[in-house]
Amino acid sequence: MMRPVIGITCSRVVGGAWSQNSPGHFMDYTFDEYSSAVHHCGGAPILIPTTQNHESLQSICERLDGVILTGGPDVDPHFYGEEPLSGLREIDEAVDLTELAVVKIALKKDLPILGICRGLQVLNVSEGGTLYQDIPSQVRESINHLQKKDKRVNTHNVRIDGNTVLHSIFKRRKIRVNSRHHQAIKDLASSLIATTWAQDGLIEAAENPSKSFVIGVQWHPEGTWEKDPFSKKLFHSFIRASKSAAKQKS
Ligand code: MN
């Protein structure tokens, strides 16, 4: 059977290794962990370039069977009606605009979406939700969500609501996850339901119950899928949903 094609959104750096050839230009990139997980679980990954060309994004999404929204810079608070606070870090409006457009198109087509870290936040903002711009300065007595250890290491527990798609995937009420974020959901978009929380009450995952598969997690399953069974299960069910989406198209 043909593999479902999974579009993966990018972040950007100026120049990169070849910057002398194209000064002032950007390179779209994403970590190979995302595509490795997709390859391993039976999907065919392809990168979605950063662009404001809506017709191109529409045509790209026509050919996709699923979308992964990746980790990346902070979302510009302008998109949820706030001024920047001092705790805000790097933003990239072009990446925001690309991902917000992709989410809109994907939701309309009911494409499976897996939002990872920033991806969960983009899902929330795209549907009218807001974010904490900086957890340590805005949330009293929050736990450490910006672990020093790399993404392969799980560092905090999360509690999962029993009546959710995420629970039907994990079949556990409590798992341990990695944590590399300093932003989090503040007001949840009305189209989403929170499914998972950290001990400090911050939302660690959400899903859209009116769609076939729209799940966002605040942690990084692409960093742990090789060893962590829950991360692997999440990618497997996302690819399974994308296979069904592909079947319905043909
Ligand atoms: Mn966390």
Side-chain angles (χ1 to χ4, degrees), residues 135 143-146 156 158 177-181 198 203-204 218-219:
I135 298 168
I143 63 165
N144 182 17
H145 289 280
L146 196 55
H156 75 67
V158 293
V177 299
N178 57 13
S179 197
R180 293 280 305 160
H181 58 111
I203 293 173
E204 285 276 339
Q218 190 55 75
W219 61 93

Side-chain angles (χ1 to χ4, degrees), residues 84-104:
L85 302 178
S86 57
L88 184 73
R89 297 190 182 181
E90 208 182 326
I91 53 170
D92 187 339
E93 193 192 22
V95 173
D96 293 341
L97 288 167
T98 303
E99 290 190 321
L100 290 169
V102 166
V103 167
K104 207 168 207 168

Side-chain angles (χ1 to χ4, degrees), residues 60-116:
I60 289 167
C61 290
E62 287 292 333
R63 288 156 174 86
L64 296 179
D65 305 308
V67 171
I68 292 181
L69 306 166
T70 53
D74 289 358
V75 178
D76 188 331
H78 158 75
F79 290 108
Y80 49 94
E82 287 188 13
E83 294 296 313
L85 302 178
S86 57
L88 184 73
R89 297 190 182 181
E90 208 182 326
I91 53 170
D92 187 339
E93 193 192 22
V95 173
D96 293 341
L97 288 167
T98 303
E99 290 190 321
L100 290 169
V102 166
V103 167
K104 207 168 207 168
I105 299 165
L107 285 174
K108 204 165 176 195
K109 298 170 64 62
D110 198 16
L111 281 179
I113 303 176
L114 177 59
I116 293 178

Side-chain angles (χ1 to χ4, degrees), residues 126-145:
S126 77
E127 296 279 84
T130 67
L131 304 178
Y132 289 113
Q133 294 186 32
D134 180 54
I135 298 168
S137 56
Q138 287 184 278
V139 184
R140 281 184 54 188
E141 298 190 11
S142 54
I143 63 165
N144 182 17
H145 289 280

Side-chain angles (χ1 to χ4, degrees), residues 30-235:
T30 191
F31 291 107
D32 61 0
E33 299 158 301
Y34 296 102
S35 33
S36 299
V38 169
H39 283 302
H40 178 87
C41 296
I46 187 162
L47 303 192
I48 303 173
T50 302
T51 178
Q52 263 53 260
N53 190 317
H54 202 265
E55 276 183 32
S56 282
L57 289 175
Q58 188 87 41
S59 298
I60 289 167
C61 290
E62 287 292 333
R63 288 156 174 86
L64 296 179
D65 305 308
V67 171
I68 292 181
L69 306 166
T70 53
D74 289 358
V75 178
D76 188 331
H78 158 75
F79 290 108
Y80 49 94
E82 287 188 13
E83 294 296 313
L85 302 178
S86 57
L88 184 73
R89 297 190 182 181
E90 208 182 326
I91 53 170
D92 187 339
E93 193 192 22
V95 173
D96 293 341
L97 288 167
T98 303
E99 290 190 321
L100 290 169
V102 166
V103 167
K104 207 168 207 168
I105 299 165
L107 285 174
K108 204 165 176 195
K109 298 170 64 62
D110 198 16
L111 281 179
I113 303 176
L114 177 59
I116 293 178
C117 195
R118 168 194 158 89
L120 167 66
Q121 297 163 9
V122 169
L123 268 179
N124 187 48
V125 170
S126 77
E127 296 279 84
T130 67
L131 304 178
Y132 289 113
Q133 294 186 32
D134 180 54
I135 298 168
S137 56
Q138 287 184 278
V139 184
R140 281 184 54 188
E141 298 190 11
S142 54
I143 63 165
N144 182 17
H145 289 280
L146 196 55
Q147 68 186 44
K148 291 202 177 69
K149 288 185 173 148
D150 71 67
K151 285 195 291 192
R152 285 170 298 183
V153 186
N154 289 331
T155 57
H156 75 67
N157 290 314
V158 293
R159 178 174 59 83
I160 301 165
D161 187 301
N163 197 20
T164 60
V165 177
L166 201 66
H167 182 265
S168 73
I169 295 169
F170 293 155
K171 298 185 173 64
R172 285 287 174 85
R173 297 296 295 265
K174 197 172 145 189
I175 65 166
R176 211 163 163 73
V177 299
N178 57 13
S179 197
R180 293 280 305 160
H181 58 111
H182 83 109
Q183 298 201 306
I185 290 177
K186 188 164 68 179
D187 303 300
L188 187 67
S190 57
S191 57
L192 299 174
I193 58 163
T195 63
T196 307
W197 299 264
Q199 194 199 50
D200 54 17
L202 285 175
I203 293 173
E204 285 276 339
E207 57 196 44
N208 185 330
S210 69
K211 300 289 171 188
S212 354
F213 188 108
V214 174
I215 290 179
V217 296
Q218 190 55 75
W219 61 93
H220 283 278
E222 84 284 3
T224 48
W225 66 270
E226 285 177 90
K227 283 186 179 152
D228 177 62
F230 301 107
S231 299
K232 201 176 261 185
K233 276 181 185 169
L234 184 55
F235 278 109

